[in-house]
Short mmCIF file of all heavy atoms in Angstrom, two decimals:
data_model
loop_
_atom_site.label_atom_id
_atom_site.label_comp_id
_atom_site.label_asym_id
_atom_site.label_seq_id
_atom_site.Cartn_x
_atom_site.Cartn_y
_atom_site.Cartn_z
N MET X 1 -10.27 10.75 -9.45
CA MET X 1 -10.27 11.18 -8.05
C MET X 1 -11.71 11.54 -7.77
O MET X 1 -12.51 12.18 -8.45
CB MET X 1 -9.45 12.39 -7.88
CG MET X 1 -9.34 12.87 -6.49
SD MET X 1 -8.08 14.16 -6.53
CE MET X 1 -8.65 15.24 -5.21
N HIS X 2 -12.20 11.04 -6.49
CA HIS X 2 -13.59 11.24 -6.10
C HIS X 2 -13.48 12.39 -4.91
O HIS X 2 -12.58 12.36 -4.12
CB HIS X 2 -14.21 10.04 -5.49
CG HIS X 2 -14.55 9.03 -6.59
ND1 HIS X 2 -15.63 9.33 -7.41
CD2 HIS X 2 -13.83 7.87 -6.85
CE1 HIS X 2 -15.66 8.24 -8.34
NE2 HIS X 2 -14.54 7.44 -7.96
N THR X 3 -14.38 13.22 -5.00
CA THR X 3 -14.45 14.27 -3.94
C THR X 3 -15.47 14.01 -2.79
O THR X 3 -15.43 14.77 -1.85
CB THR X 3 -14.76 15.71 -4.61
OG1 THR X 3 -16.10 15.53 -5.24
CG2 THR X 3 -13.64 16.05 -5.56
N PHE X 4 -16.11 12.84 -2.92
CA PHE X 4 -17.13 12.57 -1.91
C PHE X 4 -16.81 11.13 -1.32
O PHE X 4 -16.29 10.29 -1.99
CB PHE X 4 -18.56 12.47 -2.56
CG PHE X 4 -18.95 13.77 -3.09
CD1 PHE X 4 -18.98 14.01 -4.47
CD2 PHE X 4 -19.53 14.83 -2.31
CE1 PHE X 4 -19.39 15.14 -5.05
CE2 PHE X 4 -19.83 16.08 -2.84
CZ PHE X 4 -19.83 16.25 -4.16
N LYS X 5 -16.94 11.16 -0.01
CA LYS X 5 -16.76 9.83 0.73
C LYS X 5 -17.78 8.85 0.21
O LYS X 5 -18.85 9.21 -0.21
CB LYS X 5 -16.87 10.07 2.15
CG LYS X 5 -15.85 10.94 2.82
CD LYS X 5 -16.10 11.08 4.27
CE LYS X 5 -15.13 12.06 4.88
NZ LYS X 5 -15.38 12.20 6.46
N GLY X 6 -17.42 7.60 0.28
CA GLY X 6 -18.30 6.53 0.04
C GLY X 6 -17.64 5.40 -0.79
O GLY X 6 -16.55 5.37 -0.88
N ALA X 7 -18.51 4.39 -1.12
CA ALA X 7 -17.96 3.08 -1.87
C ALA X 7 -18.18 3.28 -3.25
O ALA X 7 -19.23 3.82 -3.71
CB ALA X 7 -18.72 1.98 -1.18
N TYR X 8 -17.18 2.89 -4.02
CA TYR X 8 -17.13 3.19 -5.38
C TYR X 8 -16.87 1.64 -6.09
O TYR X 8 -15.87 1.10 -5.64
CB TYR X 8 -16.23 4.11 -6.05
CG TYR X 8 -16.61 5.47 -5.52
CD1 TYR X 8 -16.09 5.88 -4.33
CD2 TYR X 8 -17.42 6.25 -6.23
CE1 TYR X 8 -16.42 7.21 -3.78
CE2 TYR X 8 -17.78 7.56 -5.74
CZ TYR X 8 -17.24 7.97 -4.63
OH TYR X 8 -17.47 9.30 -4.16
N THR X 9 -17.64 1.26 -7.10
CA THR X 9 -17.40 -0.03 -7.91
C THR X 9 -16.36 0.28 -8.88
O THR X 9 -16.52 1.38 -9.64
CB THR X 9 -18.63 -0.58 -8.43
OG1 THR X 9 -19.45 -0.92 -7.29
CG2 THR X 9 -18.24 -1.88 -9.13
N VAL X 10 -15.26 -0.34 -9.05
CA VAL X 10 -14.18 -0.11 -10.05
C VAL X 10 -14.05 -1.31 -10.85
O VAL X 10 -14.06 -2.47 -10.42
CB VAL X 10 -12.95 0.34 -9.28
CG1 VAL X 10 -11.82 0.47 -10.18
CG2 VAL X 10 -13.10 1.54 -8.42
N THR X 11 -13.66 -1.10 -12.16
CA THR X 11 -13.12 -2.15 -12.99
C THR X 11 -11.92 -1.60 -13.65
O THR X 11 -12.02 -0.47 -14.23
CB THR X 11 -14.20 -2.46 -14.14
OG1 THR X 11 -15.42 -3.00 -13.46
CG2 THR X 11 -13.76 -3.60 -14.95
N LEU X 12 -10.89 -2.35 -13.62
CA LEU X 12 -9.64 -1.74 -14.33
C LEU X 12 -9.38 -2.48 -15.70
O LEU X 12 -9.87 -3.75 -15.73
CB LEU X 12 -8.35 -2.14 -13.38
CG LEU X 12 -8.42 -1.54 -12.01
CD1 LEU X 12 -7.14 -1.99 -11.29
CD2 LEU X 12 -8.42 -0.02 -12.10
N THR X 13 -8.93 -1.92 -16.53
CA THR X 13 -8.56 -2.55 -17.78
C THR X 13 -6.99 -2.33 -18.09
O THR X 13 -6.61 -1.19 -17.91
CB THR X 13 -9.35 -1.98 -18.94
OG1 THR X 13 -10.63 -2.18 -18.82
CG2 THR X 13 -9.05 -2.66 -20.23
N VAL X 14 -6.36 -3.48 -18.36
CA VAL X 14 -4.95 -3.38 -18.62
C VAL X 14 -4.65 -3.63 -20.12
O VAL X 14 -5.24 -4.60 -20.63
CB VAL X 14 -4.14 -4.39 -17.85
CG1 VAL X 14 -2.61 -4.34 -18.22
CG2 VAL X 14 -4.26 -4.12 -16.36
N ASP X 15 -3.98 -2.78 -20.68
CA ASP X 15 -3.67 -2.90 -22.25
C ASP X 15 -2.35 -3.46 -22.45
O ASP X 15 -1.38 -2.90 -21.86
CB ASP X 15 -3.78 -1.59 -23.03
CG ASP X 15 -5.25 -1.03 -23.01
OD1 ASP X 15 -6.12 -1.94 -22.80
OD2 ASP X 15 -5.44 0.10 -23.23
N TYR X 16 -2.17 -4.50 -23.19
CA TYR X 16 -0.92 -5.14 -23.32
C TYR X 16 -0.56 -5.12 -24.90
O TYR X 16 -1.48 -5.25 -25.79
CB TYR X 16 -1.00 -6.74 -23.12
CG TYR X 16 -1.09 -6.99 -21.67
CD1 TYR X 16 -2.39 -7.35 -21.17
CD2 TYR X 16 -0.10 -7.05 -20.73
CE1 TYR X 16 -2.59 -7.60 -19.75
CE2 TYR X 16 -0.22 -7.41 -19.42
CZ TYR X 16 -1.50 -7.69 -19.06
OH TYR X 16 -1.62 -7.96 -17.64
N ARG X 17 0.70 -4.81 -25.24
CA ARG X 17 1.16 -4.97 -26.51
C ARG X 17 2.52 -5.61 -26.49
O ARG X 17 3.25 -5.71 -25.36
CB ARG X 17 1.38 -3.55 -27.18
CG ARG X 17 2.40 -2.70 -26.67
CD ARG X 17 2.61 -1.47 -27.57
NE ARG X 17 3.90 -0.73 -27.33
CZ ARG X 17 4.96 -1.10 -27.95
NH1 ARG X 17 4.94 -2.14 -28.70
NH2 ARG X 17 6.07 -0.61 -27.67
N ALA X 18 2.97 -6.13 -27.66
CA ALA X 18 4.20 -6.90 -27.52
C ALA X 18 5.17 -6.68 -28.67
O ALA X 18 4.70 -6.04 -29.74
CB ALA X 18 3.84 -8.47 -27.75
N ASP X 19 6.42 -6.96 -28.44
CA ASP X 19 7.48 -6.76 -29.43
C ASP X 19 8.19 -8.11 -29.57
O ASP X 19 8.10 -8.88 -28.65
CB ASP X 19 8.57 -5.69 -29.17
CG ASP X 19 8.02 -4.37 -29.06
OD1 ASP X 19 6.98 -3.98 -29.74
OD2 ASP X 19 8.51 -3.44 -28.30
N TYR X 20 8.83 -8.40 -30.74
CA TYR X 20 9.59 -9.63 -30.89
C TYR X 20 10.94 -9.37 -31.51
O TYR X 20 11.14 -8.20 -32.15
CB TYR X 20 8.85 -10.64 -31.65
CG TYR X 20 8.71 -10.31 -33.18
CD1 TYR X 20 9.71 -10.69 -34.06
CD2 TYR X 20 7.70 -9.57 -33.62
CE1 TYR X 20 9.49 -10.50 -35.44
CE2 TYR X 20 7.61 -9.11 -34.99
CZ TYR X 20 8.49 -9.59 -35.80
OH TYR X 20 8.37 -9.42 -37.16
N SER X 21 11.93 -10.31 -31.27
CA SER X 21 13.24 -10.11 -31.90
C SER X 21 13.74 -11.52 -32.33
O SER X 21 13.54 -12.46 -31.57
CB SER X 21 14.12 -9.54 -30.87
OG SER X 21 15.55 -9.47 -31.27
N PHE X 22 14.35 -11.51 -33.47
CA PHE X 22 15.05 -12.76 -33.96
C PHE X 22 16.48 -12.40 -34.11
O PHE X 22 16.84 -11.47 -34.98
CB PHE X 22 14.43 -13.31 -35.24
CG PHE X 22 12.97 -13.77 -35.21
CD1 PHE X 22 11.94 -13.14 -35.76
CD2 PHE X 22 12.84 -14.96 -34.55
CE1 PHE X 22 10.77 -13.67 -35.69
CE2 PHE X 22 11.62 -15.59 -34.51
CZ PHE X 22 10.68 -14.93 -35.05
N GLY X 23 17.30 -13.08 -33.31
CA GLY X 23 18.84 -12.93 -33.44
C GLY X 23 19.08 -11.37 -33.22
O GLY X 23 18.68 -10.84 -32.18
N ASP X 24 20.00 -10.89 -34.15
CA ASP X 24 20.61 -9.51 -34.06
C ASP X 24 19.63 -8.58 -34.82
O ASP X 24 20.17 -7.49 -35.16
CB ASP X 24 21.87 -9.40 -34.57
CG ASP X 24 22.88 -10.22 -33.56
OD1 ASP X 24 22.54 -10.40 -32.50
OD2 ASP X 24 23.91 -10.63 -34.06
N GLN X 25 18.52 -8.90 -35.25
CA GLN X 25 17.54 -8.03 -36.05
C GLN X 25 16.95 -6.88 -35.39
O GLN X 25 16.23 -6.00 -35.97
CB GLN X 25 16.48 -8.87 -36.72
CG GLN X 25 17.12 -9.91 -37.69
CD GLN X 25 16.11 -10.77 -38.37
OE1 GLN X 25 14.95 -10.38 -38.32
NE2 GLN X 25 16.50 -11.84 -38.98
N GLY X 26 17.02 -6.91 -33.99
CA GLY X 26 16.33 -5.73 -33.33
C GLY X 26 14.87 -6.11 -32.97
O GLY X 26 14.41 -7.08 -33.48
N TRP X 27 14.28 -5.14 -32.19
CA TRP X 27 13.02 -5.52 -31.80
C TRP X 27 12.05 -4.97 -32.81
O TRP X 27 12.08 -3.86 -33.34
CB TRP X 27 12.64 -4.85 -30.31
CG TRP X 27 13.42 -5.56 -29.22
CD1 TRP X 27 14.55 -5.28 -28.79
CD2 TRP X 27 12.97 -6.79 -28.65
NE1 TRP X 27 14.97 -6.14 -27.80
CE2 TRP X 27 13.89 -7.15 -27.77
CE3 TRP X 27 11.82 -7.52 -28.63
CZ2 TRP X 27 13.86 -8.20 -26.81
CZ3 TRP X 27 11.62 -8.63 -27.94
CH2 TRP X 27 12.62 -8.98 -27.05
N ARG X 28 10.99 -5.77 -32.95
CA ARG X 28 9.87 -5.21 -33.86
C ARG X 28 8.52 -5.34 -33.24
O ARG X 28 8.27 -6.33 -32.51
CB ARG X 28 9.79 -6.09 -35.07
CG ARG X 28 11.10 -5.93 -35.95
CD ARG X 28 11.05 -6.86 -37.16
NE ARG X 28 12.33 -6.79 -37.78
CZ ARG X 28 12.66 -7.32 -38.90
NH1 ARG X 28 11.81 -8.19 -39.48
NH2 ARG X 28 13.74 -7.20 -39.54
N PRO X 29 7.57 -4.36 -33.39
CA PRO X 29 6.30 -4.48 -32.73
C PRO X 29 5.40 -5.46 -33.40
O PRO X 29 5.40 -5.66 -34.64
CB PRO X 29 5.70 -2.95 -32.88
CG PRO X 29 6.39 -2.49 -34.12
CD PRO X 29 7.82 -3.05 -34.09
N ILE X 30 4.54 -6.02 -32.64
CA ILE X 30 3.37 -6.92 -33.09
C ILE X 30 2.20 -5.93 -33.19
O ILE X 30 1.88 -5.36 -32.09
CB ILE X 30 3.14 -8.10 -32.27
CG1 ILE X 30 4.30 -8.85 -32.26
CG2 ILE X 30 1.89 -8.84 -32.66
CD1 ILE X 30 4.35 -10.15 -31.32
N GLU X 31 1.44 -5.91 -34.27
CA GLU X 31 0.28 -4.98 -34.36
C GLU X 31 -0.75 -5.50 -33.39
O GLU X 31 -0.94 -6.65 -33.08
CB GLU X 31 -0.33 -5.14 -35.74
CG GLU X 31 0.49 -4.29 -36.67
CD GLU X 31 -0.38 -4.14 -38.01
OE1 GLU X 31 -1.56 -4.06 -38.01
OE2 GLU X 31 0.27 -4.27 -39.18
N GLY X 32 -1.51 -4.46 -32.93
CA GLY X 32 -2.65 -4.82 -32.14
C GLY X 32 -2.40 -4.55 -30.49
O GLY X 32 -1.19 -4.56 -30.01
N ILE X 33 -3.46 -4.46 -29.91
CA ILE X 33 -3.46 -4.46 -28.35
C ILE X 33 -4.49 -5.45 -27.78
O ILE X 33 -5.54 -5.62 -28.42
CB ILE X 33 -3.76 -2.96 -27.96
CG1 ILE X 33 -2.67 -2.01 -28.40
CG2 ILE X 33 -3.90 -2.84 -26.39
CD1 ILE X 33 -3.02 -0.53 -28.21
N VAL X 34 -4.03 -6.01 -26.70
CA VAL X 34 -5.03 -6.97 -26.05
C VAL X 34 -5.36 -6.31 -24.71
O VAL X 34 -4.54 -5.89 -24.02
CB VAL X 34 -4.19 -8.36 -25.64
CG1 VAL X 34 -5.21 -9.16 -24.90
CG2 VAL X 34 -3.81 -8.97 -26.95
N SER X 35 -6.65 -5.98 -24.67
CA SER X 35 -7.25 -5.43 -23.41
C SER X 35 -7.83 -6.45 -22.53
O SER X 35 -8.72 -7.25 -22.93
CB SER X 35 -8.34 -4.42 -23.79
OG SER X 35 -7.70 -3.33 -24.60
N VAL X 36 -7.49 -6.41 -21.32
CA VAL X 36 -7.86 -7.38 -20.26
C VAL X 36 -8.57 -6.75 -19.06
O VAL X 36 -7.82 -5.95 -18.39
CB VAL X 36 -6.75 -8.32 -19.79
CG1 VAL X 36 -7.31 -9.41 -18.83
CG2 VAL X 36 -5.93 -9.01 -20.96
N PRO X 37 -9.83 -6.72 -18.96
CA PRO X 37 -10.56 -6.21 -17.82
C PRO X 37 -10.33 -6.98 -16.48
O PRO X 37 -10.35 -8.21 -16.64
CB PRO X 37 -11.96 -6.03 -18.28
CG PRO X 37 -12.15 -7.23 -19.15
CD PRO X 37 -10.83 -7.41 -19.83
N SER X 38 -10.35 -6.31 -15.44
CA SER X 38 -10.36 -6.98 -14.09
C SER X 38 -11.74 -7.32 -13.76
O SER X 38 -12.70 -6.87 -14.37
CB SER X 38 -9.71 -6.12 -13.08
OG SER X 38 -10.65 -5.02 -12.77
N ALA X 39 -11.93 -8.15 -12.73
CA ALA X 39 -13.24 -8.25 -12.09
C ALA X 39 -13.56 -6.98 -11.40
O ALA X 39 -12.74 -6.32 -11.02
CB ALA X 39 -13.14 -9.50 -11.11
N ARG X 40 -14.78 -6.74 -11.25
CA ARG X 40 -15.27 -5.48 -10.50
C ARG X 40 -14.98 -5.64 -8.98
O ARG X 40 -15.06 -6.74 -8.52
CB ARG X 40 -16.82 -5.26 -10.68
CG ARG X 40 -17.09 -5.00 -12.18
CD ARG X 40 -18.61 -4.99 -12.41
NE ARG X 40 -19.11 -3.85 -11.61
CZ ARG X 40 -20.14 -3.15 -12.01
NH1 ARG X 40 -20.96 -3.48 -12.90
NH2 ARG X 40 -20.53 -2.12 -11.17
N PHE X 41 -14.61 -4.54 -8.42
CA PHE X 41 -14.27 -4.67 -7.08
C PHE X 41 -14.68 -3.19 -6.46
O PHE X 41 -14.96 -2.20 -7.22
CB PHE X 41 -12.83 -5.03 -6.68
CG PHE X 41 -11.86 -4.04 -7.30
CD1 PHE X 41 -11.33 -3.04 -6.53
CD2 PHE X 41 -11.35 -4.28 -8.65
CE1 PHE X 41 -10.39 -2.19 -7.05
CE2 PHE X 41 -10.49 -3.45 -9.11
CZ PHE X 41 -9.88 -2.35 -8.34
N THR X 42 -14.80 -3.22 -5.05
CA THR X 42 -15.28 -1.98 -4.45
C THR X 42 -14.00 -1.32 -3.76
O THR X 42 -13.32 -2.04 -3.06
CB THR X 42 -16.45 -2.27 -3.43
OG1 THR X 42 -17.36 -2.83 -4.15
CG2 THR X 42 -16.77 -1.05 -2.70
N VAL X 43 -13.89 0.03 -3.90
CA VAL X 43 -12.94 0.75 -3.15
C VAL X 43 -13.77 1.77 -2.19
O VAL X 43 -14.86 2.17 -2.72
CB VAL X 43 -11.87 1.54 -3.97
CG1 VAL X 43 -11.16 0.57 -4.67
CG2 VAL X 43 -12.61 2.44 -4.83
N VAL X 44 -13.10 2.14 -1.15
CA VAL X 44 -13.87 3.12 -0.27
C VAL X 44 -13.06 4.34 -0.15
O VAL X 44 -11.85 4.32 0.21
CB VAL X 44 -14.02 2.46 1.14
CG1 VAL X 44 -14.68 3.43 2.18
CG2 VAL X 44 -14.85 1.07 1.09
N ALA X 45 -13.62 5.52 -0.48
CA ALA X 45 -13.06 6.77 -0.21
C ALA X 45 -13.56 7.32 1.19
O ALA X 45 -14.73 7.53 1.36
CB ALA X 45 -13.48 7.75 -1.28
N ALA X 46 -12.56 7.27 2.16
CA ALA X 46 -13.11 7.43 3.62
C ALA X 46 -12.58 8.77 4.12
O ALA X 46 -13.14 9.33 5.02
CB ALA X 46 -12.62 6.33 4.41
N LYS X 47 -11.38 9.29 3.58
CA LYS X 47 -10.79 10.36 4.18
C LYS X 47 -9.81 10.91 3.25
O LYS X 47 -9.09 10.31 2.40
CB LYS X 47 -10.02 10.00 5.44
CG LYS X 47 -9.16 10.91 6.25
CD LYS X 47 -8.43 10.32 7.49
CE LYS X 47 -7.60 11.44 8.07
NZ LYS X 47 -6.85 10.77 9.15
N GLU X 48 -9.65 12.24 3.36
CA GLU X 48 -8.62 12.91 2.51
C GLU X 48 -7.95 14.05 3.31
O GLU X 48 -8.58 14.54 4.35
CB GLU X 48 -9.20 13.63 1.32
CG GLU X 48 -10.09 14.80 1.52
CD GLU X 48 -10.43 15.54 0.33
OE1 GLU X 48 -11.30 14.81 -0.45
OE2 GLU X 48 -10.08 16.60 0.05
N SER X 49 -6.67 14.22 3.19
CA SER X 49 -5.95 15.20 3.83
C SER X 49 -4.81 15.73 3.09
O SER X 49 -4.30 14.99 2.22
CB SER X 49 -5.58 14.84 5.32
OG SER X 49 -4.70 13.71 5.19
N THR X 50 -4.26 16.82 3.33
CA THR X 50 -3.12 17.32 2.67
C THR X 50 -1.98 17.46 3.80
O THR X 50 -2.11 17.84 4.80
CB THR X 50 -3.35 18.70 2.09
OG1 THR X 50 -4.48 18.74 1.23
CG2 THR X 50 -2.06 19.26 1.37
N VAL X 51 -0.83 16.99 3.31
CA VAL X 51 0.39 17.04 4.15
C VAL X 51 1.46 17.69 3.40
O VAL X 51 1.84 17.25 2.32
CB VAL X 51 0.86 15.62 4.53
CG1 VAL X 51 2.10 15.61 5.38
CG2 VAL X 51 -0.25 14.95 5.24
N LEU X 52 2.01 18.76 3.97
CA LEU X 52 3.26 19.39 3.58
C LEU X 52 4.46 18.75 3.97
O LEU X 52 4.59 18.57 5.30
CB LEU X 52 3.29 20.95 3.69
CG LEU X 52 2.15 21.66 3.13
CD1 LEU X 52 2.14 23.09 3.64
CD2 LEU X 52 2.13 21.68 1.71
N VAL X 53 5.36 18.32 3.21
CA VAL X 53 6.52 17.62 3.68
C VAL X 53 7.77 18.30 3.14
O VAL X 53 7.97 18.73 2.05
CB VAL X 53 6.58 16.14 2.95
CG1 VAL X 53 7.84 15.35 3.47
CG2 VAL X 53 5.28 15.35 3.30
N ALA X 54 8.56 18.70 4.26
CA ALA X 54 9.77 19.48 3.91
C ALA X 54 10.98 18.59 3.44
O ALA X 54 11.95 19.20 2.99
CB ALA X 54 10.15 20.22 5.17
N GLN X 55 10.90 17.25 3.64
CA GLN X 55 11.98 16.44 3.32
C GLN X 55 11.33 15.19 2.36
O GLN X 55 10.28 15.11 2.45
CB GLN X 55 12.64 15.80 4.60
CG GLN X 55 13.38 16.90 5.39
CD GLN X 55 13.15 16.61 6.84
OE1 GLN X 55 12.12 16.04 7.16
NE2 GLN X 55 13.89 17.13 7.67
N ASP X 56 12.33 14.65 1.71
CA ASP X 56 11.98 13.47 0.95
C ASP X 56 11.74 12.24 2.01
O ASP X 56 12.66 11.80 2.70
CB ASP X 56 13.23 13.07 -0.06
CG ASP X 56 12.95 11.82 -0.86
OD1 ASP X 56 11.94 11.03 -0.44
OD2 ASP X 56 13.61 11.60 -1.72
N CYS X 57 10.49 11.77 2.18
CA CYS X 57 10.29 10.85 3.11
C CYS X 57 10.88 9.53 2.79
O CYS X 57 11.07 8.77 3.77
CB CYS X 57 8.84 10.63 3.38
SG CYS X 57 7.94 10.25 1.81
N ASN X 58 11.31 9.28 1.55
CA ASN X 58 11.98 8.05 1.20
C ASN X 58 13.58 8.14 1.73
O ASN X 58 14.22 7.23 2.21
CB ASN X 58 12.03 7.75 -0.22
CG ASN X 58 10.57 7.43 -0.61
OD1 ASN X 58 9.89 6.50 0.09
ND2 ASN X 58 10.11 7.93 -1.70
N ALA X 59 14.13 9.37 1.49
CA ALA X 59 15.49 9.52 1.93
C ALA X 59 15.62 9.69 3.42
O ALA X 59 16.70 9.36 3.93
CB ALA X 59 16.13 10.88 1.17
N GLU X 60 14.63 10.33 4.11
CA GLU X 60 14.77 10.40 5.56
C GLU X 60 13.41 9.71 6.24
O GLU X 60 12.61 10.42 6.69
CB GLU X 60 14.64 11.93 5.84
CG GLU X 60 15.82 12.69 5.41
CD GLU X 60 17.04 12.37 6.04
OE1 GLU X 60 17.04 11.94 7.20
OE2 GLU X 60 18.11 12.62 5.54
N PRO X 61 13.42 8.45 6.25
CA PRO X 61 12.35 7.65 6.70
C PRO X 61 12.09 7.81 8.17
O PRO X 61 10.91 7.62 8.67
CB PRO X 61 12.58 6.21 6.21
CG PRO X 61 14.03 6.17 6.12
CD PRO X 61 14.61 7.46 5.60
N THR X 62 12.90 8.35 8.93
CA THR X 62 12.68 8.55 10.32
C THR X 62 12.32 9.99 10.75
O THR X 62 12.17 10.34 11.91
CB THR X 62 13.91 8.12 11.19
OG1 THR X 62 15.00 8.94 10.78
CG2 THR X 62 14.18 6.58 11.02
N SER X 63 12.17 10.84 9.80
CA SER X 63 11.96 12.31 10.04
C SER X 63 10.38 12.45 10.44
O SER X 63 9.61 11.62 10.09
CB SER X 63 12.21 13.03 8.85
OG SER X 63 11.23 12.88 7.79
N PRO X 64 10.13 13.56 11.07
CA PRO X 64 8.63 13.83 11.38
C PRO X 64 7.84 13.96 10.25
O PRO X 64 6.71 13.57 10.15
CB PRO X 64 8.75 15.18 12.14
CG PRO X 64 10.13 15.18 12.63
CD PRO X 64 11.09 14.45 11.67
N ALA X 65 8.60 14.46 9.00
CA ALA X 65 7.90 14.63 7.69
C ALA X 65 7.39 13.16 7.26
O ALA X 65 6.24 13.03 6.76
CB ALA X 65 8.68 15.37 6.74
N ALA X 66 8.20 12.30 7.48
CA ALA X 66 7.82 10.93 6.98
C ALA X 66 6.65 10.35 7.78
O ALA X 66 5.84 9.67 7.30
CB ALA X 66 9.03 10.00 7.06
N ASP X 67 6.74 10.55 9.10
CA ASP X 67 5.50 10.24 9.94
C ASP X 67 4.25 10.84 9.48
O ASP X 67 3.28 10.24 9.51
CB ASP X 67 5.91 10.56 11.37
CG ASP X 67 6.96 9.72 12.00
OD1 ASP X 67 7.25 8.63 11.51
OD2 ASP X 67 7.57 10.16 13.04
N ALA X 68 4.42 12.09 9.14
CA ALA X 68 3.09 12.81 8.92
C ALA X 68 2.52 12.40 7.46
O ALA X 68 1.43 12.38 7.19
CB ALA X 68 3.41 14.28 8.80
N ALA X 69 3.59 12.00 6.60
CA ALA X 69 3.25 11.53 5.24
C ALA X 69 3.08 9.95 5.06
O ALA X 69 3.02 9.54 3.94
CB ALA X 69 4.15 12.03 4.17
N ALA X 70 3.11 9.34 6.22
CA ALA X 70 3.00 7.84 6.11
C ALA X 70 1.93 7.27 5.17
O ALA X 70 2.02 6.23 4.74
CB ALA X 70 2.83 7.25 7.43
N HIS X 71 0.77 8.02 5.04
CA HIS X 71 -0.33 7.54 4.21
C HIS X 71 -0.19 7.91 2.74
O HIS X 71 -0.92 7.52 1.93
CB HIS X 71 -1.76 8.14 4.77
CG HIS X 71 -1.80 9.56 4.48
ND1 HIS X 71 -1.12 10.46 5.38
CD2 HIS X 71 -2.48 10.26 3.69
CE1 HIS X 71 -1.42 11.75 4.99
NE2 HIS X 71 -2.21 11.61 3.99
N VAL X 72 0.91 8.62 2.41
CA VAL X 72 1.03 9.04 1.02
C VAL X 72 1.83 7.93 0.35
O VAL X 72 2.69 7.37 0.78
CB VAL X 72 1.95 10.29 0.93
CG1 VAL X 72 2.18 10.76 -0.53
CG2 VAL X 72 1.26 11.44 1.70
N PRO X 73 1.21 7.54 -0.93
CA PRO X 73 1.87 6.43 -1.59
C PRO X 73 3.16 6.76 -1.95
O PRO X 73 3.62 7.84 -2.32
CB PRO X 73 1.03 6.39 -2.86
CG PRO X 73 -0.16 6.95 -2.57
CD PRO X 73 0.06 8.00 -1.61
N GLY X 74 4.16 5.78 -1.80
CA GLY X 74 5.61 5.96 -1.97
C GLY X 74 6.33 6.37 -0.71
O GLY X 74 7.61 6.49 -0.79
N CYS X 75 5.75 6.66 0.28
CA CYS X 75 6.38 7.21 1.51
C CYS X 75 6.35 6.17 2.59
O CYS X 75 5.45 5.30 2.60
CB CYS X 75 5.87 8.50 2.03
SG CYS X 75 6.09 9.80 0.95
#
């Protein structure tokens, strides 16, 4: 989380691991992790605000609380 407005260069890394199964033998892990970095990209931190929501904006999508929280991820 950044506390200052501005542009930030970001690189994400996703770690993958795998399991395998033969027949009814159950799942077994494969040793190791494969890390895959993304290309670098820029994100902009332009505004922050706090919104108090009295209702679940997913359960009540037409409520005033949902309108106020429209910028909140998942709402």
Side-chain angles (χ1 to χ4, degrees):
M1 183 171 150
H2 290 283
T3 55
F4 299 103
K5 295 178 184 179
Y8 297 90
T9 301
V10 177
T11 302
L12 301 176
T13 300
V14 178
D15 293 334
Y16 294 96
R17 69 174 200 81
D19 295 336
Y20 70 94
S21 175
F22 289 113
D24 295 333
Q25 296 178 11
W27 289 96
R28 297 179 182 183
I30 296 174
E31 281 191 41
I33 295 175
V34 176
S35 297
V36 180
S38 71
R40 294 175 67 152
F41 59 97
T42 301
V43 296
V44 177
K47 179 182 174 183
E48 71 174 66
S49 62
T50 302
V51 177
L52 296 177
V53 180
Q55 296 139 336
D56 180 345
C57 57
N58 291 314
E60 297 291 335
T62 59
S63 72
D67 291 339
H71 67 283
V72 177
C75 291

